[in-house]
Amino acid sequence: MTLRVAVTGASGFVGQALATRLILDGEVATGIVRRQFDAPFPLCVVSGLDDKRLAPVLADIDVVVHTAARTHVMREDAEDPISAYRAVNVDGTLAIAKMAAEQGVRRFVFISSIKVNGESTSSGAPYCYDSVPAPEDDYGISKYEAELALKNLATETGMEVVIIRPPLVYGSGVKGNFAAIVRLVNKSVPLPFGAIRNARSLVALDNLVDLIVVCLSHPAASGRVFLVSDGEEVSITELIRQLARAMGKRQLLLPVPSWVFKVCLGLLGKKSVADRLCGSLVVNIHHTEQVLGWHPPVSLQEGLREMIESSGG
């Protein structure tokens, strides 16, 4: 049966890739956005997630996938950051979820974040689907509060809720620190990342989209939390080597100890950057694989290569 799916944030990194995949799969996808753009799927342009014009659109929808969010802000200028995150990630999420339930939408798939679990797995134990949530920053806190609100709404209304917590997502169009690393590698300049022995889980955009597609209709997905990754871990040192290979570049990595990074970046007020570069964050996806019978279709090496090729690198 053809699914009718509404994707919020359909102009964004994950939302656009998902809506495009749905159209290619023969499903009916509608993008919910705040601005018009050239898309291969129909759009519903709204002023916000509480826009009443959404109601008749949602009345014809089977599943809502909520990718829209206030994500990490590189240079925060909000006077009250946690309130700014809550306004979008909690209040906005609950507004469209309530409207969806009122219009008879069967399932609501929420793209949360591994930051709900915490910032690192320094103890050596990976995050699992049932790990106790311990968000530390405003973004992670707002995502966790949204998860709790959605679970309560599911109990009250009977609408099925599925929660997916991805770590860092990479792929064509990636931004932020990952894009900065790609640019550095592309320049073939010596980089001081030759001695960092951390372990981080990443997820290729294609893998995340593939899991979302499974969660649209899988009967065992309802009411569950799923972690997702490429199913392998990588150090920042090995990540840069793999990026260089994908680009056909020769990369010189200088063996600078991780403590030097932490001290230097800490003095520059960039402790969080140092933590992401040198710290570990590993997720265990065995529960996701067992419950859904899903496995990442793309390896880390394939995902990096496809990202570089699609960007013309």
Side-chain angles (χ1 to χ4, degrees):
M1 183 182 73
T2 300
L3 283 175
R4 300 166 299 173
V5 184
V7 180
T8 70
S11 62
F13 181 50
V14 175
Q16 190 168 351
L18 172 63
T20 301
R21 160 72 186 270
L22 291 172
I23 293 298
L24 293 174
D25 286 353
E27 309 292 3
V28 177
T30 300
I32 297 174
V33 296
R34 298 191 66 166
R35 59 176 179 82
Q36 191 77 33
F37 73 103
D38 187 15
F41 44 84
L43 299 175
C44 174
V45 181
V46 295
S47 60
L49 294 174
D50 58 351
D51 193 323
K52 299 304 181 186
R53 287 175 293 180
L54 276 172
V57 175
L58 296 176
D60 292 325
I61 294 297
D62 300 308
V63 184
V64 171
V65 182
H66 186 45
T67 75
R70 186 180 198 262
T71 55
H72 292 287
V73 179
M74 300 296 287
R75 296 178 182 176
E76 182 62 76
D77 58 2
E79 292 184 5
D80 185 3
I82 185 62
S83 294
Y85 278 109
R86 283 172 171 153
V88 177
N89 297 347
V90 183
D91 299 343
T93 297
L94 195 55
I96 191 169
K98 284 182 175 178
M99 200 180 304
E102 291 169 356
Q103 297 302 317
V105 171
R106 176 175 57 82
R107 180 171 288 189
F108 191 94
V109 180
F110 179 55
I111 310 306
S112 185
S113 169
I114 198 60
K115 281 181 169 286
V116 167
N117 291 89
E119 293 294 321
S120 67
T121 52
S122 55
S123 64
Y127 289 134
C128 299
Y129 77 100
D130 58 353
S131 296
V132 177
E136 298 178 28
D137 68 358
D138 293 340
Y139 173 70
I141 291 169
S142 68
K143 283 291 193 177
Y144 182 46
E145 291 176 350
E147 287 187 11
L148 295 176
L150 288 172
K151 289 177 181 178
N152 288 336
L153 182 67
T155 300
E156 295 169 1
T157 65
M159 182 175 67
E160 299 174 355
V161 169
V162 182
I163 295 169
I164 299 174
R165 295 179 188 160
L168 188 151
V169 185
Y170 66 92
S172 179
V174 69
K175 298 178 181 179
N177 291 327
F178 198 96
I181 291 174
V182 172
R183 288 193 296 270
L184 286 172
V185 174
N186 192 44
K187 292 178 180 179
S188 295
V189 296
L191 296 175
F193 300 127
I196 300 178
R197 302 292 181 258
N198 60 346
R200 297 195 73 88
S201 293
L202 310 175
V203 62
L205 180 59
D206 286 347
N207 284 337
L208 176 57
V209 167
D210 195 71
L211 177 63
I212 296 171
V213 169
V214 171
C215 287
L216 296 178
S217 59
H218 198 296
S222 177
R224 294 181 184 265
V225 173
F226 297 108
L227 305 191
V228 60
S229 78
D230 291 336
E232 52 189 302
E233 295 78 52
V234 65
S235 68
I236 185 66
T237 302
E238 180 57 26
L239 175 63
I240 290 175
R241 286 176 178 152
Q242 291 205 31
L243 282 169
R245 283 196 292 270
M247 295 178 186
K249 304 282 187 179
R250 297 188 66 178
Q251 182 65 60
L252 176 60
L253 292 174
L254 306 176
V256 178
S258 59
W259 67 266
V260 174
F261 278 104
K262 294 178 180 179
V263 171
C264 293
L265 290 175
L267 292 173
L268 294 172
K270 298 185 179 294
K271 180 181 180 300
S272 61
V273 174
D275 290 340
R276 286 193 290 273
L277 283 173
C278 303
S280 294
L281 193 159
V282 178
V283 304
N284 183 321
I285 64 170
H286 291 166
H287 168 261
T288 303
E289 294 176 312
Q290 292 172 355
V291 172
L292 301 177
W294 175 87
H295 302 284
V298 176
S299 69
L300 174 66
Q301 184 177 10
E302 292 167 338
L304 294 175
R305 185 178 65 251
E306 289 175 7
M307 177 185 70
I308 298 303
E309 291 176 352
S310 64
S311 62

